[in-house]
Amino acid sequence: MIAGTADEEGPVMRESSQGVTVVALLADPDAPTEIARHMARVLPARLADRSGQGRRFDVEVVSEPFTAGTEDLSTLTRRIKDRGSGEHWDVVVALTDLPLHSYGHKLVVELSHEHGMALLSLPSLGGLRLRRRALRAVEEVVLSLAAPRATRAEEPPQWQSLGRFAGRLAPIRPGPIGEEETADLRYVVSGPRGYLRVLGGMVRANQPWRLVPGLSKALAAALATGAVATVNSTIWSLSEALSTSRLVIAMVGSVALMIGWLVVDAHLWHRSVESSPEERKRTALYNASTVLTVGIGVLVCYAGLMVVNLVWALFLLNDRVFASMTRTPLHATDYWTLSWFVASVATVGGALGSGLESDEAIRAAAYSKREQERRRMLADDHGD
């Protein structure tokens, strides 16, 4: 990397010999790569506008599993440094969808101005507006790394930027750094809000909506159960007699049963192999993200079953037959209560049908690629 020369008006900007600052987005496969490619379309113009003075930026996306087999920050930093040493990049920003930890805190981003590189953990940005937040974070990081020298010698270079980033994404705050570490600036999240932010980001990385097509056999069993239950006169009578509170209890119970069955049957529950408090907290975070991921997927399936059952009931039910069986006339609300109750019954049938799915298929639907690799690595280490 070649740095420009300082002038009296502003800080030095890292730039190549051609006058263009080359930025590499080193992204884990899957979601981080998608986010990086989205950034690459808009980041050069945003950086040029923010930096001023006719600066130009060239953004490249490199999709590589640089976190494979490890969550150790020093190892990841060394990998990023080695990967960029033989390239023409001026700035390297690595993106991963794994939650990373530093001194008991959840890492957001760490920077090394000396080596022009940074590591960003996407889950710490939360599950909402992830692309916008990631773009804002990378923009601030690149501008900080591209201007590593302060205009005044007494001003530490690592603190002259990123204040806007930390302020916008509260509760993010500066984190501790060891004397032997490569990084010179680190931001972390902590506390209940930070925990919820990371948890939401982990669920977002797992993409729970992928669970729906991943449970094809369970959905087939649920649809078959719902079709049979819709034409069962006993189900008609029960749905007519049940109160709203009992229908809610039936829904919650069936959804909880489905979630529990999937987690237990597919061995999704993670057990800590260490007894340290930090490892227990990390394990609890992973298990909470698993339950939420599966729960959201099951709720989406439940809503779909309700719609299918409602259409099926509207097509099949006859008011005279219904009245002869239940002793009450068929009203419009009866279609709704019947489809609601049948969805609960069908969800239980789907839980039984999920036993036909392979554990690998369920894990592939419930986890991101990085999380699948992490769990395979832990399983191999535990087996050894």
Side-chain angles (χ1 to χ4, degrees):
M1 288 181 272
I2 302 176
T5 57
D7 57 32
E8 296 181 356
E9 298 180 358
V12 175
M13 299 291 289
R14 286 178 181 262
E15 64 179 62
S16 64
S17 58
Q18 290 78 21
V20 179
T21 301
V22 180
V23 180
L25 300 180
L26 180 63
D28 268 333
D30 205 18
T33 296
E34 294 177 7
I35 292 174
R37 287 171 178 165
H38 171 75
M39 288 183 192
R41 293 193 290 267
V42 297
L43 195 57
R46 292 174 64 98
L47 291 171
D49 182 65
R50 286 281 306 278
S51 62
Q53 301 180 350
R55 296 291 311 171
R56 288 195 302 153
F57 292 83
D58 184 13
V59 179
E60 302 178 6
V61 177
V62 180
S63 180
E64 291 183 5
F66 69 93
T67 61
T70 184
E71 295 179 63
D72 179 64
L73 285 181
S74 60
T75 301
L76 294 178
T77 301
R78 184 175 64 254
R79 288 181 180 181
I80 299 168
K81 179 182 175 182
D82 293 344
R83 183 64 179 85
S85 61
E87 301 289 344
H88 61 287
W89 305 327
D90 301 305
V91 173
V92 182
V93 181
L95 308 175
T96 181
D97 55 1
L98 279 181
L100 302 175
H101 298 76
S102 171
Y103 297 97
H105 302 291
K106 299 164 186 67
L107 177 74
V108 180
V109 63
E110 68 171 26
L111 296 81
S112 173
H113 289 80
E114 178 183 358
H115 300 97
M117 65 183 190
L119 172 61
L120 176 63
S121 177
L122 294 174
S124 60
L125 301 180
L128 301 177
R129 302 190 302 274
L130 178 59
R131 288 191 175 186
R132 182 183 303 178
R133 287 176 171 176
L135 175 62
R136 186 181 302 161
V138 170
E139 180 181 342
E140 298 292 343
V141 165
V142 171
L143 290 174
S144 178
L145 293 175
R149 299 175 187 170
T151 57
R152 299 187 303 274
E154 67 274 11
E155 182 181 3
Q158 62 266 31
W159 297 106
Q160 65 178 342
S161 185
L162 290 175
R164 184 182 298 106
F165 163 72
R168 287 176 178 176
L169 298 181
I172 294 175
R173 61 181 181 81
I177 301 175
E179 295 182 358
E180 303 299 325
E181 293 189 76
T182 303
D184 53 32
L185 179 60
R186 175 177 292 149
Y187 281 96
V188 298
V189 293
S190 59
R193 289 180 59 195
Y195 180 89
L196 293 177
R197 180 186 293 275
V198 175
L199 182 59
M202 293 173 67
V203 174
R204 169 67 171 78
N206 286 338
Q207 301 178 356
W209 51 88
R210 299 187 308 181
L211 193 65
V212 178
L215 295 176
S216 57
K217 294 182 177 65
L219 284 176
L223 289 172
T225 303
V228 173
T230 302
V231 297
N232 189 301
S233 59
T234 302
I235 297 295
W236 298 352
S237 300
L238 285 174
S239 65
E240 184 71 17
L242 290 176
S243 62
T244 301
S245 60
R246 289 181 177 271
L247 288 170
V248 171
I249 293 173
M251 177 185 69
V252 173
S254 62
V255 169
L257 177 63
M258 182 71 162
I259 295 173
W261 183 273
L262 288 174
V263 171
V264 173
D265 186 61
H267 307 288
L268 302 182
W269 194 258
H270 176 58
R271 297 184 181 277
S272 175
V273 295
E274 300 178 10
S275 59
S276 64
E278 183 174 347
E279 179 62 23
R280 287 198 297 267
K281 291 180 181 179
R282 184 179 304 183
T283 299
L285 184 64
Y286 276 115
N287 287 331
S289 70
T290 296
V291 172
L292 283 177
T293 299
V294 175
I296 292 173
V298 171
L299 286 174
V300 172
C301 293
Y302 189 95
L305 288 173
M306 285 188 65
V307 173
V308 172
N309 293 332
L310 180 60
V311 173
W312 185 238
L314 289 171
F315 178 74
L316 285 179
L317 287 189
N318 180 278
D319 53 352
R320 285 181 295 181
V321 175
F322 186 88
S324 66
M325 294 294 180
T326 62
R327 309 296 183 183
T328 57
L330 179 61
H331 300 290
T333 55
D334 293 325
Y335 291 102
W336 164 252
T337 55
L338 177 61
S339 62
W340 188 3
F341 181 56
V342 169
S344 299
V345 175
T347 300
V348 175
L352 299 176
S354 66
L356 301 175
E357 304 279 3
S358 66
D359 294 349
E360 291 76 13
I362 296 177
R363 293 191 191 105
Y367 295 134
S368 66
K369 289 184 178 180
R370 299 279 69 71
E371 176 63 2
Q372 293 177 52
E373 291 178 359
R374 189 191 73 87
R375 288 179 178 255
R376 280 196 296 267
M377 179 193 69
L378 292 176
D380 292 342
D381 292 344
H382 185 64
D384 294 339

